[in-house]
Amino acid sequence: FLANYAFTSDGTLWALMDNETGPETLTIGRYDGASWHYHDLAADGGSWMSVIAAAGPNVVVVEAALERTPAPDRVVGLSVSTDAGATWHELTDPDDVERSLPFNVSQNPDDWFSGYTSIAFAGTSTLYVADGSGALWRSSDFVTFSKVSVPGAVTDHRVSDLRPAGDAVLGRLDDGDDLVRIAADGSVEVIASR
């Protein structure tokens, strides 16, 4: 079954799936219109908590694992391919994940299944992450992430709110119905709703 997925402009489907036939890992599938190709990711994430973004040859997966209370959901890995899935670079060591991935998955540690994170590309090489606490992060190398200042938090607990929009991403501000457009260079523009 498909949980989280992304399409690239050439029509390739990238989908996250729980690996039910082998080790307890997350599998990424690529469907090119004729056949499926699979890669087992190293992190022990779940397909419903993990998120994926794809643009051009770049594919990024933020793996998250579900923990029942009192522990919140957490990021357990980052997998990146810059060559359309031919090779994968994976960050899975817990200390490295904690040090290198500053964003949070947990929305409310008292609520089981509280995780929420969304990711989207602005263009093909700038990745944005909206985390569970409403912070927005930007990376152009898929290794380092810097916080982006926006008026309010970009978050919504019901739907994935970061969406690619050409050379920018769109998100919904948490204090109303206004949208925010964040360009690849990090500039922010509020788009007021009517």
Side-chain angles (χ1 to χ4, degrees):
F1 63 92
L2 301 182
N4 288 311
Y5 58 91
F7 284 96
T8 53
S9 60
D10 66 356
T12 300
L13 168 65
W14 294 90
L16 298 178
M17 297 167 253
D18 286 320
N19 187 349
E20 298 176 0
T21 60
E24 295 294 322
T25 60
L26 187 62
T27 298
I28 185 164
R30 177 176 57 89
Y31 183 70
D32 59 14
S35 61
W36 281 95
H37 307 274
Y38 300 98
H39 174 76
D40 290 339
L41 300 172
D44 192 17
S47 63
W48 290 101
M49 290 71 64
S50 301
V51 289
I52 184 172
N58 298 322
V59 182
V60 176
V61 179
V62 175
E63 291 114 321
L66 175 67
E67 289 190 0
R68 294 181 183 269
T69 55
D73 305 347
R74 69 198 194 290
V75 172
V76 294
L78 178 75
S79 297
V80 177
S81 177
T82 57
D83 55 12
T87 59
W88 289 90
H89 307 282
E90 300 186 62
L91 177 68
T92 59
D93 178 85
D95 293 333
D96 291 341
V97 167
E98 186 174 338
R99 185 173 40 256
S100 301
L101 306 180
F103 33 87
N104 299 314
V105 175
S106 180
Q107 191 72 15
N108 175 3
D110 296 327
D111 177 21
W112 105 272
F113 198 72
S114 59
Y116 179 77
T117 304
S118 67
I119 63 177
F121 275 100
T124 59
S125 60
T126 302
L127 181 72
Y128 282 100
V129 178
D131 74 10
S133 62
L136 184 67
W137 303 89
R138 177 184 180 272
S139 178
S140 58
D141 62 7
F142 315 130
V143 174
T144 55
F145 291 84
S146 58
K147 200 169 191 178
V148 177
S149 177
V150 294
V154 179
T155 187
D156 180 314
H157 312 300
R158 295 177 303 276
V159 296
S160 175
D161 57 3
L162 280 185
R163 300 289 186 203
D167 63 349
V169 296
L170 295 176
R172 188 173 68 86
L173 293 175
D174 69 343
D175 59 353
D177 294 327
D178 292 344
L179 296 177
V180 63
R181 180 184 186 276
I182 308 106
D185 66 4
S187 59
V188 177
E189 172 190 5
V190 175
I191 303 168
S193 62
R194 293 183 182 193

